[in-house]
Amino acid sequence: MTEPEPAGEPIELRLRRALGPRSIVLVGLMGAGKSTVGRRLAGRLGMIFKDADNEIEAAAGLSIPDIFAIYGEPSFREGEERVISRLIREGPMVLATGGGAFMRESTRARIAEGGVSVWLKADLDVLMRRVRKRGNRPLLQTEDPEETMRLLMEARHPVYGGADVMVLSRDVSHDRVVQDVLEAIDAHLTGPTNRGVAAQ
């Protein structure tokens, strides 16, 4: 059915061909490394990198904490979906999304239409160590940020589990995680797949 692949073909070339017009969309909690890994992944694949949060801020002329404070989360999520839909139409690219984007069913549908979703999954201690370096996380402005993160994990992990691919984001070099992502997408796109079986 498929032609044999050239011996020793670089994984980057194989993936670009298998992706076609589709984008790689990174999902996961804040601190999972979506932007950092995404930039390096795009570099490996010779693709454009976009961060949905940066694009939302540019479109609104406001920071995300300000958008939350002024308009509230529901309004932010609507704008987020519009921006992600536009970016996917502009693909192919590597797109890092905000932690809550994949929770919205209509956003997940847009991602499924034009992309391959990759869940960067990290343990609680890894996430907290990373997010403490930045104080601009609106959802963590609580008395107990660690408990808030734990609750977010409980609520979001089952939904993130619907992504096409899952890769563990751990305390190794970013390049190692990028390689893991490449290999996981390669297996998903070019290997035998049982997509849909888990949803039965």
Side-chain angles (χ1 to χ4, degrees):
M1 189 187 302
T2 57
E3 295 180 10
E5 294 166 359
E9 181 184 34
I11 191 171
E12 295 88 351
L13 289 179
R14 188 164 64 245
L15 279 190
R16 283 300 301 267
R17 186 173 63 246
L19 280 167
R22 290 175 293 179
S23 292
I24 295 172
V25 183
L26 302 177
V27 305
L29 284 164
M30 62 190 95
K34 300 183 297 288
S35 295
T36 306
V37 169
R39 275 191 198 88
R40 292 173 184 245
L41 180 64
R44 285 280 302 270
L45 291 168
M47 295 170 75
I48 295 167
F49 171 76
K50 292 285 180 78
D51 184 304
D53 283 353
N54 291 346
E55 297 292 316
I56 292 163
E57 290 180 332
L62 292 166
S63 70
I64 286 178
D66 285 344
I67 297 171
F68 265 75
I70 297 167
Y71 298 107
E73 186 174 358
S75 178
F76 170 77
R77 296 300 173 199
E78 289 175 12
E80 181 177 54
E81 181 184 340
R82 287 194 298 273
V83 168
I84 288 173
S85 297
R86 170 176 60 80
L87 291 170
I88 288 176
R89 286 195 303 272
E90 293 172 2
M93 67 177 66
V94 176
L95 175 61
T97 63
F102 204 65
M103 299 302 293
R104 190 177 171 102
E105 186 176 358
S106 48
T107 303
R108 290 199 301 277
R110 299 283 178 276
I111 292 170
E113 286 168 11
V116 174
S117 51
V118 178
W119 173 22
L120 288 182
K121 181 181 182 182
D123 293 335
L124 177 63
D125 60 331
V126 173
L127 294 173
M128 292 310 299
R129 196 157 54 246
R130 292 173 179 172
V131 298
R132 284 192 181 106
K133 297 175 184 175
R134 293 171 61 187
N136 62 342
R137 309 286 189 172
L139 295 180
L140 292 185
Q141 304 307 309
T142 62
E143 290 185 8
D144 189 347
E146 186 164 327
E147 177 61 18
T148 301
M149 181 70 87
R150 189 177 287 108
L151 292 172
L152 285 171
M153 293 175 79
E154 289 176 6
R156 293 180 176 181
H157 277 197
V159 179
Y160 292 154
D164 295 313
V165 169
M166 187 278 285
V167 172
L168 196 61
S169 177
R170 57 207 195 283
D171 281 339
V172 295
S173 73
H174 295 308
D175 290 333
R176 177 65 254 177
V177 177
V178 167
Q179 185 66 29
D180 290 347
V181 172
L182 287 169
E183 291 172 4
I185 298 173
D186 185 38
H188 171 71
L189 290 178
T190 65
T193 178
N194 293 312
R195 272 191 83 188
V197 173
Q200 299 296 322

